Amino acid sequence: MSHQISEVNVAGIVEELRARGHRVTPQRRAIVAETLGTEGHIAPQAVAKKVSERVPGVNASTVYRTLELLEELGYVSHAHLEDGFQYHLVGRGGHVHLVCARCGRQEALPVEKTVPFKRLIEKHSGFSPDFSHFSISGLCAACRKLQDSR
Amino acid sequence: MSHQISEVNVAGIVEELRARGHRVTPQRRAIVAETLGTEGHIAPQAVAKKVSERVPGVNASTVYRTLELLEELGYVSHAHLEDGFQYHLVGRGGHVHLVCARCGRQEALPVEKTVPFKRLIEKHSGFSPDFSHFSISGLCAACRKLQDSR
DNA sequence: GTATATGCAAAGGTTTTGCACAGCC
DNA sequence: GGCTGTGCAAAACCTTTGCATATAC
């Protein structure tokens, strides 16, 4: 059931927090754990909700501030998806979300398929794109037909 | 200075509005004109602001409703970019925005470079992605080095 | 004349911010 | 003990919605 655990774990992050002079609080532990335990992406709100199930009374603003800190440290990254503001682990494999701009239907594309394109972009400008947790808009097959037949 | 004008123009959209039983109001004309006149993407708010410079007193809710209508008709599409909710013309050529998740730096990639990847996705699922007005997140060359050297 | 679009105002939701207090180191 | 992080509350912001009025057809 369990996937390959990424080399980034709670202890590692906690260690780096301390090493950088940040403090390790129960809230931060819980937020880090929740974020690492999430497959795919998660909204700050959702983190707040799930975390406060374990550690009672974690404030939303704390969640926002902690996620921002984790992003500064390079562990997570944010995206603006259809569902709003979302965080995801940097570099954790996954799939690309294709969202139809017309009907909203979502499809998935294995991340392997993006490798050649990723290489191309990296060669072009040194920029290393992360497709795995970002939606890409377009038209699904059905809506494309509709469009063409008009 | 002027780019190739796309075949979609204000008159055409106005015509289709009428043909579909929608009404053509000064507000709608202005919103359509502003949207078509925009290179790249634009936020509903920005449309509202620019439009009300010409047609005084266009309400934000009207802008939202009109943009939604234009999306239904297939002229525009929306995205959630770094700057928030944005609309852009469907299928107007341009370039891909690469945004560094770390430092926020933006780079551009000519849309031609995406063609092979676009074909690949289309073959895979019939989904036709539109990269030209959507940001793609990742790490720029500089931030990538920082990341690696840690 | 009638049905649709607009403006207005209020509500809803998310994110940000300032400040006093709590708690990690 | 000092400084950082948290909670609280309020504010800021964007977007949506209901309803009366205006207006395109």
Side-chain angles (χ1 to χ4, degrees):
Chain A
M1 197 64 228
S2 68
H3 291 237
Q4 172 88 22
I5 299 296
S6 76
E7 70 289 355
V8 177
N9 55 36
V10 179
I13 296 186
V14 161
E15 209 174 314
E16 181 166 346
L17 280 174
R18 248 193 272 271
R20 296 213 176 197
H22 298 289
R23 293 181 181 173
V24 178
T25 63
Q27 291 91 333
R28 285 191 172 163
R29 267 184 202 285
I31 293 166
V32 167
E34 189 59 49
T35 307
L36 291 200
T38 298
E39 195 74 20
H41 33 69
I42 188 166
Q45 273 188 304
V47 174
K49 194 183 166 198
K50 299 198 86 180
V51 164
S52 60
E53 282 169 9
R54 299 191 216 165
V55 183
V58 171
N59 196 273
S61 59
T62 300
V63 173
Y64 281 99
R65 289 186 276 226
T66 300
L67 288 174
E68 211 173 308
L69 178 61
L70 291 178
E71 184 157 26
E72 271 173 47
L73 296 182
Y75 288 114
V76 302
S77 181
H78 75 265
H80 303 264
L81 305 185
E82 284 306 303
D83 313 327
F85 204 87
Q86 305 260 333
Y87 280 90
H88 63 85
L89 287 185
V90 165
R92 178 174 280 191
H95 52 275
V96 182
H97 291 273
L98 306 175
V99 183
C100 180
R102 208 68 184 288
C103 67
R105 203 176 128 198
Q106 299 212 5
E107 302 183 28
L109 182 78
V111 80
E112 303 87 69
K113 303 269 184 188
T114 70
V115 172
F117 186 45
K118 190 175 156 80
R119 292 274 149 70
L120 186 148
I121 293 178
E122 285 170 358
K123 226 171 242 169
H124 181 267
S125 60
F127 186 97
S128 176
D130 174 15
F131 297 113
S132 65
H133 291 275
F134 283 76
S135 291
I136 290 179
S137 182
L139 289 178
C140 73
C143 288
R144 200 139 62 108
K145 277 182 198 155
L146 274 176
Q147 193 89 339
D148 289 346
S149 67
R150 288 201 306 139
Chain B
M1 195 64 225
S2 68
H3 290 235
Q4 171 88 23
I5 299 296
S6 78
E7 70 289 354
V8 177
N9 54 37
V10 179
I13 295 186
V14 161
E15 208 173 315
E16 181 166 344
L17 280 173
R18 249 193 271 272
R20 296 212 177 198
H22 298 289
R23 292 180 181 173
V24 178
T25 64
Q27 291 90 332
R28 284 192 173 162
R29 267 183 200 285
I31 292 166
V32 167
E34 190 58 51
T35 307
L36 292 200
T38 297
E39 196 75 17
H41 32 69
I42 188 166
Q45 273 187 304
V47 174
K49 194 183 166 199
K50 299 198 86 180
V51 163
S52 59
E53 281 170 10
R54 299 191 216 166
V55 184
V58 172
N59 197 272
S61 60
T62 300
V63 173
Y64 281 99
R65 288 186 278 226
T66 300
L67 288 173
E68 211 173 308
L69 178 61
L70 291 177
E71 183 156 27
E72 271 175 47
L73 296 182
Y75 288 113
V76 301
S77 181
H78 76 266
H80 302 265
L81 305 186
E82 284 305 304
D83 313 326
F85 203 88
Q86 305 259 334
Y87 281 92
H88 63 84
L89 288 184
V90 165
R92 178 174 279 191
H95 51 275
V96 182
H97 291 272
L98 306 175
V99 183
C100 180
R102 208 68 185 288
C103 67
R105 201 176 128 199
Q106 299 212 3
E107 302 183 27
L109 182 77
V111 80
E112 304 86 68
K113 303 266 185 191
T114 69
V115 172
F117 186 45
K118 190 175 156 78
R119 292 275 149 70
L120 187 149
I121 293 179
E122 285 171 357
K123 225 171 241 170
H124 180 268
S125 60
F127 187 96
S128 175
D130 174 13
F131 297 112
S132 65
H133 290 275
F134 284 77
S135 292
I136 291 178
S137 182
L139 289 178
C140 73
C143 288
R144 203 141 61 109
K145 276 182 201 156
L146 273 176
Q147 194 88 341
D148 289 345
S149 67
R150 286 196 309 138

